[in-house]
Amino acid sequence: MSDSVVEDAAWNAFTGFTSRSQPHEVIQGLRAMGFPEDRLDALLARHELKAREIIQLREPLGISREGRVPWYIGPRSGDVNWPPLEKRLVRKLGSESAAKIDAASSKVVAMLDHPATPEFAAKGLVVGHVQSGKTSNFTAVICKAADRGYRMFIVLSGVHNALRAQTQARLVSDIVGANPTFWHQITSAERDFVPPANAASLLAVKDQALLLVVKKNAVVLRKLRRWLLSASEHLAQVPTLIIDDEADQATVATKTINPLIADIVEGLPKVCYVGYTATPFANLVIDPSDERDFYPRDFVLSLERPSSYQGPETLFGRRALDGEDPADVPGGLDVIRDIAEEELPDLRPRSRADIPGFAPRITDSLRDALLWFWLATAARRCRSGTAEHSSMLVHAHSDTRVHDSYAEPLRQFRSLTLGALRSGDTRLETELRRLWHDETSRVPASELGESPLAFADVFALLTAVVSDTDVILDHYRSQDRLNYDGGPRTVIAVGGNTLSRGLTLEGLVVSFFVRSADVYDTLLQMGRWFGYRPGYSDLPRIWMPAQLRDWYAHLATVEEEIRREIDRYLVEHKSPLDLAVRIRSHPKMRISAAGKMTNAVRAAAAYGGELVESRYFPVAPKEEAGAWLDRNAAAVNDFLTRCAIRGREDSATVPASTGKVLWRGVSSRDVVTFLESYSFHERSVEADRDLLVRYIDGRVRAGGLKSWNVAVMGQPTARALKVLELPHGASVGMVRRSRLKNSPITACADIKTLSGSRDEAIDLVVSAGAAKLGRTGYARLRVEQTPETGLVLLYPIDPLSPTTLRGREELDAPADVVWGAALVFPQPSVGSDLPVHYDFFSADLSGIFPALDEDDEVDLAILDEDLDGVESDA
């Protein structure tokens, strides 16, 4: 027998043993059986290599507690739960997507403790994206953990019966159905947890796994706690995995639900608690020093966002982060439609006192949304050749009485539209044709890889689509709940909280959203429009007030920053107890409910290495906007005059023929004076004048940032539509910066990008081979060539800035010149970067590593989010 065959046989035997015993125990057993020491060393080295390969997977991003011994090496040939699920995923999603779920779920399992460990209690967090497939991930995790010896699986599935039943049905279909004798279901789709008789006998069966899908409800959780306590002597042999779906809801900062879940966890000798959520804001600011609470002290993972996923970044765009070229950052698809402010009183009650008598009206925007829903549904039928689930969401209020008030106007509008279609109403056909043309022109199907359709083909199916449409009021009092069983459905779903957490609206193509909310997690969870739209990625539309569109763009930035924060763990080799994830705040929104933020502290951020630039400019009302822009022009002229007198013009590096001017050696005092008179728009929250000035002064006091280079970033006069004479006599051509066409606030022009990717290298010596270094590379060159020297870039913008680019329109600013400003801060070479406490919050780690001086506590009112009475059917 060859050595390779012997090695493979030894390896197969070894991995078989490590499925149920810890690797070091297996080695000890084999040593006692007389296995050669060199073979044992080779087996252990091979095992450690494979286990570390999974831990070190780039995706999902994350890190675990220090000192963890890697043990999981992935699926093996004898597994019974993962292989059938994998086949199911390949059939449903394709081999590429299934492989990503395989890799990501393996990394989550690798973060758990080995089930043969005598005692363990780990707590982790998996951060996903709204409607992006978190359930698929934790389903795979359950399968793989069961294949390795975990025996009890408790899934805490939200606070509503509908979500709990949906989760139970999916787990039965995906897991239990393939191995019905392996699994014992203690709950069912029809029934939440009811204590079965003789808990001890159930827990003693070693060749069977227990599955419980439990609502986060006080009555249910108390019964589960008592049932587990009744068989406590058997729990030491029952490794348990608790999956907390929607882990930020009800689990965090509640007086009843939180301690009940904590009691259950504490009562289990061998348990891993893993929270899953797309909105981790509350989870990341839990008090880490409270070991009973659910701060993810052992690991945090961030699931990859698939390329086909339409999330906040894809739909709303976001701002560029440090190191990114703004031109490469998504600006958002043109699928958001504004609901006029004057329509809102007809779509939602002004106050709670108005709820009883509120009667909604089919406004212009709601009419467009309904008609587009039917057109988009017909278009999907054209493409696929068959009817599929198709949904429209109407979300106006949390009160169920408001939901009910929508029933009559929506059903009446459906009847009127159906009648007009059947009678051949030409006015309606003309209106539909115009709407189809407008929408398909703004979002061409071919640009998203979809097949273009003719209006006539779509219109031919419209009568059947409208006829098939049901209006469903989905709330806990409703008798006709949203249900996609029994064949394809075309539905207009009106709801609030029941449609805001976890529950999937199949084939969602239109969302009409007017609910008032200002909390990060609430807004993101209400975004049921996020997700996958295979075959119809060009058809979804979202109607909402303009302010909400702007807020979702901010949340897209926050999501990307959190992912980068988790990436810091990898770079700096930190654990969640060493380095808290920072969350950017917003002047008009709350990160989470007040009670959940009690333990949060303001987190430090700094400008070192960052680019801060103008992006927004007022354009209306004309008189006010013109005065604002003129004041900025005066501030720039005064600053350029001082630069010409006190700085050193470098025409050798930047010749006048380029339309640019560069001065070197301008003092920090002159830059600060300029900032004190130049205004960044209030929407540029990162460009806070006081913070910028305070930061520069601090760097100067620390012995750094002694001088600045200042550049006017015009273009050659021969190429420019308009020419500007600078205070010292030179002339430059104005640059053009058009505005985004779908900007949510018309009085404010959003140009998205002021500076070009190479602009900040204007004062650096860049070799030909390094011409495309990007921002990170240029930042390194700045430290090498001009340490402690900042850069101010000033852009004279043509106030008209005509454009032919898709998704853009002319700037049309009421001024002779619009001056944009960008500041490039070098990384500090003197001391460390000075923190600026401004717009971030994080968990308070001082209780883990107490500081000598305690910060003042944040005194916030506690918002109790107990959910004892939410749909208790137990």
Side-chain angles (χ1 to χ4, degrees), residues 383 439-441 443-453 537-539:
R383 282 184 182 153
E439 290 296 338
T440 55
S441 297
V443 188
S446 57
E447 290 188 4
L448 292 174
E450 307 291 1
S451 303
L453 295 167
S537 59
D538 59 318
L539 298 176

Side-chain angles (χ1 to χ4, degrees), residues 509-526:
V509 285
V510 169
S511 301
F512 193 84
F513 186 78
V514 293
R515 179 167 170 180
S516 178
D518 63 355
V519 183
Y520 284 16
D521 40 26
T522 303
L523 277 171
L524 275 178
Q525 290 291 351
M526 288 176 181

Side-chain angles (χ1 to χ4, degrees), residues 27-49:
I27 290 294
Q28 290 171 3
L30 294 175
R31 183 177 289 120
M33 294 168 60
F35 262 63
E37 204 63 35
D38 60 335
R39 282 263 169 84
L40 294 178
D41 290 343
L43 287 173
L44 195 57
R46 184 174 174 182
H47 183 274
E48 288 180 353
L49 177 63

Side-chain angles (χ1 to χ4, degrees), residues 614-620 622 625 628-629 721-722 734-741 743 745-754 795-805 807-820:
S614 309
R615 171 175 173 173
Y616 305 100
F617 300 95
V619 292
K622 295 284 186 183
W628 192 94
L629 295 169
L721 295 177
K722 290 189 176 182
M734 293 188 192
V735 297
R736 281 184 285 172
R737 295 292 186 269
S738 56
R739 63 185 295 182
L740 293 176
K741 199 170 187 177
S743 180
I745 301 177
T746 56
C748 173
D750 178 2
I751 66 170
K752 184 187 174 187
T753 305
L754 175 67
Y795 294 80
I797 301 172
D798 180 340
L800 186 59
S801 289
T803 183
T804 58
L805 296 175
R808 292 271 181 170
E809 59 187 353
E810 62 184 27
L811 184 60
D812 193 24
D816 294 326
V817 59
V818 176
W819 279 100

Side-chain angles (χ1 to χ4, degrees), residues 46 123 131 153 161 163 191 214 239 357 662 696 719 738 740 760:
R46 184 174 174 182
K123 291 173 183 173
Q131 300 282 90
F153 299 87
N161 290 326
L163 177 57
R191 189 181 66 181
V214 178
L662 174 66
I696 294 171
R719 285 173 26 202
S738 56
L740 293 176
E760 62 186 272

Side-chain angles (χ1 to χ4, degrees), residues 14 263 314 331 348 380-381 448 467 508 606 623 733 771 808 856:
F14 176 75
D263 287 347
T314 304
R348 70 186 186 204
R380 291 184 62 203
R381 293 188 184 186
L448 292 174
S467 178
L508 181 64
E623 187 173 337
R808 292 271 181 170
D856 293 336

Side-chain angles (χ1 to χ4, degrees), residues 55-128:
I55 289 286
Q56 293 169 0
L57 284 171
R58 174 65 185 170
E59 296 290 350
L61 292 173
I63 198 73
S64 63
R65 67 173 182 259
E66 191 176 2
R68 174 183 291 278
V69 178
W71 65 276
Y72 185 68
I73 60 172
R76 58 187 302 272
S77 58
D79 293 346
V80 297
N81 289 290
W82 166 246
L85 177 63
E86 182 181 30
K87 290 178 182 177
R88 187 180 180 92
L89 291 172
V90 170
R91 287 196 305 269
K92 183 179 179 181
L93 304 175
S95 56
E96 184 179 348
S97 295
K100 289 185 176 181
I101 293 172
D102 181 12
S105 58
S106 284
K107 187 163 181 177
V108 178
V109 176
M111 296 291 171
L112 310 178
D113 286 271
H114 193 296
T117 306
E119 283 191 356
F120 56 86
K123 291 173 183 173
L125 180 69
V126 178
V127 181

